[in-house]
Amino acid sequence: MTQDSIYIFGYGSLIWRPGFPYSRRFNAYVKGFKRRFWQQSRDHRGTDEHPGRVVTIVPTAEFDTLQPKKEPHDEDGDIVWGVVYQVEDKDVKKCLDDLDIREIGGYHRTGIPVYTEGDILACEATLYVGSVSSLINTEFIGPEDIDKTATIISRSVGPSGPNPEYLKRLADSLRSMSLHDTYIFELEKRVNKQNHNSLVQH
């Protein structure tokens, strides 16, 4: 018995580095979420001693509860754009097995409807998301001041490379898709400023 093809939704590093074969790729978004660097990374962009930061998506209702006081960069709506990959049946098992290992640091697999431009329902896709419950997801840090996040990112390095590279690739990918993400671009600006100030001081 063979599996049908599946769709994978990527909103972080999967946008620029899927790491699996796919037959089709298109831009799409999910509703009712915000993208935030509220997930610690000890295995990719940081270490046990100095965890870095990577993105997760937080349900808007839970975001509003966790962070009732909003900053300008928090007024970014409640849709998250990313990329959908169609994976053919012969590649599904290996794809999911590899992603389960890659996303082991606090993420779980779930299904979600994704939409394309014009609010058109495209398909049901699989995505990896970190729970906002620290009992389930020990890597979720919750609301963090954006300057603190920028400082941690600017100083963190892990097995997959420097943490600022992760942020830059995400921001560059969104720009190449002609998308604007208020929070991501504000965080990028603050990391760049901190790195500039660090160079000047030295």
Side-chain angles (χ1 to χ4, degrees):
M1 180 177 175
T2 61
Q3 247 182 312
D4 292 332
S5 64
I6 64 167
Y7 297 91
I8 304 287
F9 179 74
Y11 56 87
S13 64
L14 289 181
I15 295 178
W16 71 84
R17 187 175 66 86
F20 51 80
Y22 56 89
S23 59
R24 181 184 172 211
R25 166 188 165 130
F26 57 91
N27 298 346
Y29 61 87
V30 294
K31 297 180 178 181
F33 292 91
K34 287 180 179 286
R35 176 170 25 215
R36 290 294 182 270
F37 271 80
W38 288 0
Q39 188 83 356
Q40 290 190 124
S41 178
R42 304 170 188 271
D43 52 351
H44 287 298
R45 299 291 176 168
T47 62
D48 286 334
E49 296 76 19
H50 301 286
R53 295 288 185 267
V54 289
V55 289
T56 187
I57 55 174
V58 181
T60 307
E62 293 177 346
F63 178 92
D64 289 340
T65 300
L66 290 165
Q67 186 155 307
K69 184 174 183 286
K70 304 296 189 293
E71 300 292 339
H73 53 263
D74 291 324
E75 305 302 330
D76 53 354
D78 64 347
I79 67 170
V80 173
W81 279 91
V83 171
V84 172
Y85 301 96
Q86 183 175 353
V87 180
E88 295 305 317
D89 55 354
K90 64 183 177 60
D91 299 311
V92 167
K93 185 179 185 307
K94 186 174 189 313
C95 168
L96 292 177
D97 287 348
D98 289 349
L99 286 176
D100 284 347
I101 295 171
R102 175 172 168 176
E103 308 293 346
I104 198 171
Y107 296 89
H108 65 273
R109 191 200 304 173
T110 189
I112 194 167
V114 296
Y115 301 82
T116 54
E117 192 72 53
D119 206 32
I120 299 170
L121 177 63
C123 60
E124 176 95 359
T126 296
L127 87 159
Y128 287 79
V129 61
S131 170
V132 299
S133 169
S134 59
L135 297 176
I136 299 172
N137 176 13
T138 57
E139 301 305 319
F140 182 73
I141 59 166
E144 183 171 71
D145 179 79
I146 194 169
D147 283 319
K148 180 179 179 181
T149 307
T151 298
I152 292 170
I153 289 174
S154 67
R155 298 174 179 174
S156 297
V157 181
S160 296
N163 209 170
E165 176 191 53
Y166 176 106
L167 172 59
K168 183 179 187 307
R169 288 195 173 189
L170 176 56
D172 285 347
S173 296
L174 294 173
R175 277 189 286 266
S176 72
M177 296 158 65
S178 298
L179 299 174
H180 183 80
D181 188 306
T182 304
Y183 169 82
I184 296 298
F185 293 166
E186 179 64 23
L187 181 59
E188 179 190 37
K189 183 173 75 175
R190 297 193 190 205
V191 169
N192 289 341
K193 182 179 179 180
Q194 290 197 17
N195 287 339
H196 173 74
N197 290 342
S198 177
L199 288 173
V200 169
Q201 290 170 7
H202 290 83

